[in-house]
Amino acid sequence: MAIPLEGDVMERQLPVLCPSSQCKDGAIVLGIVLPNNTIAYADQRYKLDASQVEEMQHNAISPEKRFRFSSPCAQCGCAQWVNGKSGGKCGVIEEVLEAPRPEFLPKALPECSIRPHCRWFLQRGEEACSVCRFVITDTAIITEAEAAELVA
């Protein structure tokens, strides 16, 4: 019988991760929002601490407009959680997959630091990964103050 390496055990014990979380202490920076409103994924996991979160939140533009974050999936504790006959699931990825898609979707999946533990991937597989880069957590229209910050 093979004995798992310490890293293997740690990987299996990680919680299922939400790929569209809020900027908060312990969140993982999943990627940065590009000018074309797609995500450029981080090549490794980078966890935020409380001081980094505070610094990011002092900007006039919300961190969720500038970055995508990941944290443990709250399941029923999340407003996006949908209970169904076969149990619960994330409603966000279901809505994204029902929406019209860009005509061209790259065939290769982007590199992603959370894929093995991602709620969307575990729920919908590679189909979720193919559209994930188009999801921006905060899609509210920017204010005048935020626009001024972009120009400055």
Side-chain angles (χ1 to χ4, degrees), residues 7-76:
D8 292 339
V9 172
M10 287 176 34
E11 279 296 306
R12 284 195 299 267
Q13 293 175 348
L14 287 174
V16 173
L17 296 170
C18 169
S20 189
S21 184
Q22 301 297 307
C23 179
K24 59 186 177 184
D25 188 14
I28 297 166
V29 177
L30 187 58
I32 186 169
V33 178
L34 298 174
N36 67 357
N37 285 327
T38 62
I39 303 299
Y41 293 93
D43 58 357
Q44 59 184 313
R45 288 188 185 184
Y46 179 76
K47 274 192 174 181
L48 296 176
D49 62 31
S51 65
Q52 292 166 319
V53 169
E54 186 176 335
E55 185 176 325
M56 291 178 94
Q57 291 175 338
H58 278 5
N59 191 305
I61 302 171
S62 80
E64 293 80 10
K65 279 188 185 351
R66 298 176 288 139
F67 300 94
R68 277 266 303 281
F69 302 98
S70 177
S71 60
C73 175
Q75 297 181 8
C76 335

Side-chain angles (χ1 to χ4, degrees), residues 1-5 12:
M1 178 166 108
I3 299 172
L5 299 173
R12 284 195 299 267

Side-chain angles (χ1 to χ4, degrees), residues 79-134:
Q80 305 300 328
W81 192 253
V82 178
N83 285 312
K85 293 178 184 175
S86 61
K89 61 184 176 181
C90 178
V92 173
I93 192 58
E94 298 301 325
E95 286 184 35
V96 170
L97 289 171
E98 288 175 12
R101 299 183 193 180
E103 286 185 35
F104 172 75
L105 286 177
K107 292 202 185 282
L109 297 180
E111 293 295 321
C112 177
S113 67
I114 70 163
R115 184 171 292 129
H117 303 101
C118 175
R119 164 64 59 203
W120 295 355
F121 178 73
L122 294 171
Q123 186 172 315
R124 295 297 297 261
E126 291 184 4
E127 183 181 26
C129 295
S130 70
V131 297
C132 181
R133 70 188 92 209
F134 302 105

